[in-house]
Amino acid sequence: MTATKKPRNFLYRTMPILEWLPHYRRDWLAGDIVGALSVWALSVPASLAGAAIAGLPVQHGLYAAAVATLVYPLFATSRHIITAPGAALAAIVGAAVMSVADRGSDEAVQHVAAIALLAGLLYIVAALLKMGWISNFLSESVLAGFVFGVGISLIISQAHWITGTTETGANSWQKLANWFQSLPDTNLVTLTVGLITLAFLIVLRIFVPKFPGALVAVALGIGAELALGLSNSGVQLVGTVPRGLPELALPNIGLIADNLPVVIPAAAGALLVALPVSLAAARQFAAQYHYDVDADQEMLAQGVANAVSGLFQGMAVAGLFSQSSVSSAVGARTQLASIALGILLILALVFLAPIFSHVPEAVLAAVIIMAVIFGLLKVKPMQRLWHLSRTEFWLALAALLGVLTFGVLQGVLIGVGLSLLWLVWRTSHPAMPVLGRMPDSKVYHSLERFPESETHPGLVVIRFDGPLFFATCRGLRDRIRELIADADPEVKGIVLDMEGTNIIDLEGSDALHQVLVELRATGIELHLARTKDGIVDRMEQHGVLGTLGRNRLFDYVHEAVEALMGKARPGEG
């Protein structure tokens, strides 16, 4: 697209489409239309499946997809993202709603719409406050385990549709055990339909991976019901799907007010799970096609899409990498592909909706299971964690087991908690390596990594790699005491390399002052090297610098070492 200077008008800043659409090139249109058609083949069955996972009549998944694909590109800076219902997001919403409403009921619809609306408002507030950092509340490792756990729980929850039995149990383990116990009651016709559909989708996935297998499977299921009357043999269908567009309606305020303890955590959970995935996908496509995205504007676009989806009786949505990659792979260049997709989905609601009433639940379950296997059960990230970071692997596994044991919504909270604990642990345990001088140089490196580095008798050089605040200051004090106790010969001077320290609070300054006093009491001199100006200013405010003295601040480690060794007279730092 042609780069133009962004107008200062608020409307133009809020709706980037007003900037790029006037510069749209006609030769982009074919690629955008082909992209929309290609994604439509994925979006229809995926939207039906998303609604089923969330416990809604299937048309509400199409409502959400149609609204989101039309609204999101009006506000987005990403040219390639397709925003629609996703399996993981639907599982979070469904887990919350099914605890207070019956599957497919009007109350379920109201709750799901309220969650989408509230999630959208949270997005918008976060965008206005430039709070993109909240996406960091779920670390990538914990998110990988959480998504894997959601995938397993979804497969377990769909198993009874394949066998035509009933689902019972408070968590995935109980549901799995009860499913095994219900196998003698399996409906053989339903089982046959489900297994044939699974086999069909697996064969297509292996031999023709780009073929729209899910859409064809749904079409064949509809054809089998119309031709053979599968429902007469006990095969359950998705139910009546009305023709037409959704109505604009505010969720029932009284009903939602009575269940705020369910709605609020579900909306927050939807935000925490969808935001990092959506932003990561947007940034990946931007890097691939060499343009910039605005994270705050993307949050605004996702927020408006979610809020409007809720107002039109839809469900929470997110930027989907899978559908976006299909669109871009066939030549989509701009947000117009998403708008064209929205129009196609509206046409499906107007002209094709009643046909979806004949979709067997077993076929839809098979579509969901295949989507989960290839979309959520990502083994490689878990293998990577196992090989590269066992601690993060165990955190991911804990999140996975949390989802299966306590539920999807609780799994979000467990994931956030584990991420925060991991952050606190890592922050409160900064590295403090002892440094040595590389031979014939003035460069100091970690002795552990460069054992050939030279040390100076009676002198210890240590680097503090982290913020010096209440959670780390005791660690610094203990580390210095440990080095003094283990040193041979006796330590006469210490150089503290502060290059890795960006933050110091009052408690950190107090701890540094205490270290300084203790060292002087034992005749040990302390020098600081490579201390940032902001840290020096804070030390002066806190009174530490007055005790230390500016003549003990040095720009380089080798200068501090030479001053202690008497090779150079300490100068002003």
Side-chain angles (χ1 to χ4, degrees), residues 27 32-33 60 70 90 143 161 164 167 191 202 225 274 280 318 349 387 446 479 511 529 542 546 549 565 570:
D27 59 321
D32 286 343
I33 297 301
H60 291 271
L70 287 172
L143 185 60
W161 293 115
E167 180 189 53
L191 179 62
I202 291 172
E225 162 58 18
L349 282 166
H387 291 297
S446 166
R479 176 67 165 149
H542 298 161
M565 295 178 67

Side-chain angles (χ1 to χ4, degrees), residues 269-289:
L271 171 68
L272 289 172
V273 170
L275 177 57
V277 175
S278 300
L279 289 181
R283 286 165 176 156
Q284 183 166 338
F285 283 108
Q288 181 178 347
Y289 292 98

Side-chain angles (χ1 to χ4, degrees), residues 468-536:
L468 184 56
F469 69 125
F470 66 91
T472 61
C473 59
R474 292 175 181 81
L476 173 63
R477 190 171 58 217
D478 293 342
R479 176 67 165 149
I480 290 176
R481 288 173 177 173
E482 173 191 347
L483 291 172
I484 293 173
D486 295 340
D488 185 21
E490 184 179 354
V491 174
K492 294 297 184 182
I494 294 178
V495 174
L496 181 59
D497 182 356
M498 298 282 283
E499 191 218 3
T501 302
N502 295 310
I503 298 171
I504 186 170
D505 68 359
L506 182 58
E507 194 166 343
S509 293
D510 289 343
L512 187 58
H513 187 272
Q514 182 179 351
V515 167
L516 181 61
V517 171
E518 288 183 3
L519 292 177
R520 285 190 176 174
T522 56
I524 299 174
E525 189 78 11
L526 175 67
H527 286 179
L528 303 187
R530 301 200 293 179
T531 310
K532 292 179 172 59
D533 291 340
I535 302 299
V536 174

